[in-house]
Amino acid sequence: MHTALQQSTSQKSDQFILPFSFIISSLIFLVIFSVGLASSPGVFSFDSLRSPAALAMAHLFILGWATMLAMGAVYQLIQVVSQRPVHSSKLGFIHFGLYISGVTGLYISLPDFIIPALIIFGLLTVAGVGCFLFNVLLTLKDSKLVNPVISATKSALLYLGLTVATGLVMVLNFRFGFLGTFHNGIFLLHLWAGLIGWFLFLIAGYSFKMLPMFFLAHGHDEKWQKWILIALHGAIWVSAAAGAAGMASTFLPLSLALLSLGLVMLLVQISEIRKNKFKKNPGRGIIFFITLLKGFTALSVVLFLLSIVNVEFLLQYSVLGPILMFYIFGFVSLSIAAYLSKIIPFLWWTFRYGGQVGQKETPSLAIMVDENVAERKLWLQLAALILFICSLWTGLQFLIIGTAILFAFTIVFYIFTIGKAFTY
Amino acid sequence: MANITKEEIMEKLGTVIDPELGVDVVNLGLIYNVDVNDTEVAVRMTLTTPGCPLHDTMINGVKTAVEQHPLVSKCEVNLTWEPAWSPDMMSDKVRSMFA
């Protein structure tokens, strides 16, 4: 009998509860972020992006929403990628407890910059991430598979580890002041590893695996996958090395060139998949993701060209701020949200109806989330974000308040649409 | 006592729907072979891709559906990747539905 059939009921239940715990918690953190943004719309003003209040909100969004959700998705999808169950569900739940305590504590203690609390909660977060890395890496080791999806996952894990480690070093440096001029290099590595490394490797790697499934594509050329990963690694390490050598702005064009190259190749890879597709509609959320990726790639190319002409212009807070906001709140968050329109129905269907297949009629995944409504709400969220960023640029308080509330509303509005899957 | 026919088993398998594609495993061309030996049935099948997220669900669904037949005492499901599934294996009706 196949080993998969021999798994106990509790193992199967854990395989649902573990990713589900992360996904539901991430949505709760996203709602808290939305309420926080609506009540303090001025927190992200471009000249105070590194203020404690802005850092608290940014960390809540990145660690509480985006990373928490990504971890839940990894726990679900690693089984697909590795063709193995998660190495230890128990360790997964320990990870959940440590991480959620750490992130909540960081959010509470960051606005007042309470250093001892930051160290304690930072350590809890690090311990949680450590459990996650250990668990997923052992799952991959058990599987023994070697392919670009596995490489992308391992790379994402490496950068997540580096992000957390550099974050902890920076917190300790605030207390003990041992980094000196290296602080900026560490900060750059923290940013690139966290924003590009952790998120982009996951988005790219899982797109290699999931898009052919959604398009029902077979026999497409996969040669680009390896080069995409190499270009993205290059972008990060050029920037980190240049930062450590105090030459960050000199080498920024090279980093951006590699990033743009990686993104262009990712689009080429997706077009290879689409050439061999058998299903016209992979889901409207997925179409939105591909369009968003095209937009982000275009932005990356423009930034590369700008960096050649005038790199100092790019590094002003009034330019860098909107770019970072578009990347985090737009590209990363909306890509995750778009994939969520597929992940949540699948996860809930497997739990609710998986045992009934072959006995009685079960609903199709397509009816659990109205994909047309989901796509419209994703566009609405993107439009609201762009308006919010533009209003921050104008500095007009009434516009900032109005657009912040609108952006917060569109986030919650979208959650309602995908949350409807749970009513089936 | 009546014998179990392959047609009856295929009919049962037709109730197992892939929830992502909304099509049953027979019309998707996932069933490679059905062997009936007295009251025991062996099904050789594949999935659309290795590491399909519905791996366990589909295998269990096939087993359950076949065992719904009143004369079947046991169903064994053997998953294979040879030959690899391709869209050409789908029925014409389904292929035109996706195109």
Side-chain angles (χ1 to χ4, degrees), chain B residues 45-58:
Chain B
M45 68 177 290
T46 192
L47 296 171
T48 53
T49 177
C52 169
L54 293 164
H55 184 286
D56 294 359
T57 308
M58 298 311 284

Side-chain angles (χ1 to χ4, degrees), chain A residues 2-261:
Chain A
H2 197 277
T3 49
L5 290 175
Q6 294 172 327
Q7 287 168 25
S8 68
T9 309
S10 70
Q11 268 181 309
K12 284 185 179 171
S13 170
D14 284 352
Q15 281 171 25
F16 164 78
I17 295 171
L18 184 59
F20 192 71
S21 308
F22 279 89
I23 290 171
I24 287 295
S25 306
S26 73
L27 291 173
I28 293 169
F29 277 125
L30 185 59
V31 171
I32 295 172
F33 170 85
S34 305
V35 172
L37 177 64
S39 51
S40 313
V43 75
F44 287 118
S45 87
F46 297 143
D47 47 5
S48 60
L49 274 181
R50 284 171 83 167
S51 72
L55 285 177
M57 287 291 275
H59 278 77
L60 177 68
F61 194 86
I62 294 168
L63 297 179
W65 151 240
T67 297
M68 193 98 183
L69 190 281
M71 286 169 164
V74 168
Y75 276 131
Q76 187 195 357
L77 297 174
I78 197 67
Q79 302 173 57
V80 177
V81 169
S82 67
Q83 297 171 40
R84 301 279 307 176
V86 172
H87 178 75
S88 166
S89 295
K90 195 177 166 190
L91 187 59
F93 288 116
I94 294 171
H95 159 211
F96 178 74
L98 289 168
Y99 187 78
I100 202 165
S101 316
V103 171
T104 308
L106 280 177
Y107 174 59
I108 294 168
S109 45
L110 258 170
D112 297 320
F113 229 70
I114 311 160
I115 300 290
L118 287 177
I119 291 174
I120 292 167
F121 291 118
L123 284 171
L124 283 176
T125 309
V126 172
V129 171
C131 293
F132 173 68
L133 296 177
F134 187 71
N135 210 0
V136 179
L137 284 172
L138 280 183
T139 308
L140 293 174
K141 186 170 169 272
D142 293 345
S143 121
K144 296 186 175 66
L145 283 174
V146 180
N147 58 47
V149 184
I150 299 272
S151 300
T153 310
K154 284 180 179 169
S155 304
L157 296 176
L158 163 77
Y159 290 118
L160 176 64
L162 272 176
T163 309
V164 172
T166 47
L168 190 65
V169 167
M170 286 193 300
V171 169
L172 291 172
N173 184 53
F174 287 131
R175 175 71 182 82
F176 302 109
F178 56 89
L179 277 178
T181 54
F182 280 106
H183 183 87
N184 267 349
I186 297 287
F187 178 63
L188 272 178
L189 182 58
H190 181 71
L191 275 185
W192 276 85
L195 298 181
I196 302 296
W198 164 232
F199 288 118
L200 208 46
F201 273 96
L202 267 193
I203 290 171
Y206 283 103
S207 296
F208 297 161
K209 180 71 187 172
M210 304 308 286
L211 291 184
M213 288 162 73
F214 296 145
F215 277 111
L216 206 57
H218 277 250
H220 52 277
D221 195 342
E222 294 181 340
K223 71 178 174 210
W224 298 101
Q225 295 179 351
K226 183 177 74 178
W227 296 107
I228 293 165
L229 302 185
I230 290 171
L232 295 181
H233 277 300
I236 294 167
W237 287 107
V238 164
S239 197
M247 300 165 79
S249 54
T250 313
F251 282 91
L252 186 61
L254 180 57
S255 265
L256 289 173
L258 288 166
L259 175 64
S260 304
L261 185 64

Side-chain angles (χ1 to χ4, degrees), chain A residues 170-373:
Chain A
M170 286 193 300
V171 169
L172 291 172
N173 184 53
F174 287 131
R175 175 71 182 82
F176 302 109
F178 56 89
L179 277 178
T181 54
F182 280 106
H183 183 87
N184 267 349
I186 297 287
F187 178 63
L188 272 178
L189 182 58
H190 181 71
L191 275 185
W192 276 85
L195 298 181
I196 302 296
W198 164 232
F199 288 118
L200 208 46
F201 273 96
L202 267 193
I203 290 171
Y206 283 103
S207 296
F208 297 161
K209 180 71 187 172
M210 304 308 286
L211 291 184
M213 288 162 73
F214 296 145
F215 277 111
L216 206 57
H218 277 250
H220 52 277
D221 195 342
E222 294 181 340
K223 71 178 174 210
W224 298 101
Q225 295 179 351
K226 183 177 74 178
W227 296 107
I228 293 165
L229 302 185
I230 290 171
L232 295 181
H233 277 300
I236 294 167
W237 287 107
V238 164
S239 197
M247 300 165 79
S249 54
T250 313
F251 282 91
L252 186 61
L254 180 57
S255 265
L256 289 173
L258 288 166
L259 175 64
S260 304
L261 185 64
L263 290 168
V264 168
M265 288 192 289
L266 180 55
L267 285 176
V268 173
Q269 179 61 63
I270 292 173
S271 77
E272 289 289 340
I273 294 168
R274 293 181 96 164
K275 265 189 239 163
N276 288 271
K277 70 180 178 189
F278 211 80
K279 203 170 161 228
K280 206 189 288 177
N281 179 14
R284 298 307 304 171
I286 299 304
I287 295 289
F288 172 86
F289 161 70
I290 295 170
T291 313
L292 186 66
L293 179 65
K294 286 177 184 169
F296 177 57
T297 305
L299 176 67
S300 176
V301 172
V302 169
L303 293 178
F304 160 62
L305 296 173
L306 268 176
S307 72
I308 295 174
V309 179
N310 187 353
V311 74
E312 295 307 323
F313 169 77
L314 256 188
L315 295 175
Q316 297 172 78
Y317 275 134
S318 60
V319 179
L320 200 57
I323 294 166
L324 281 176
M325 283 185 75
F326 175 78
Y327 178 71
I328 299 166
F329 301 127
F331 178 69
V332 170
S333 179
L334 287 171
S335 296
I336 294 172
Y339 266 106
L340 211 53
S341 68
K342 286 282 193 186
I343 291 173
I344 284 194
F346 171 75
L347 196 60
W348 184 246
W349 185 95
T350 309
F351 176 70
R352 178 83 175 74
Y353 296 104
Q356 296 176 15
V357 178
Q359 289 178 51
K360 52 174 84 166
E361 208 174 311
T362 54
S364 73
L365 295 180
I367 66 159
M368 295 175 81
V369 166
D370 188 329
E371 291 185 341
N372 290 322
V373 174

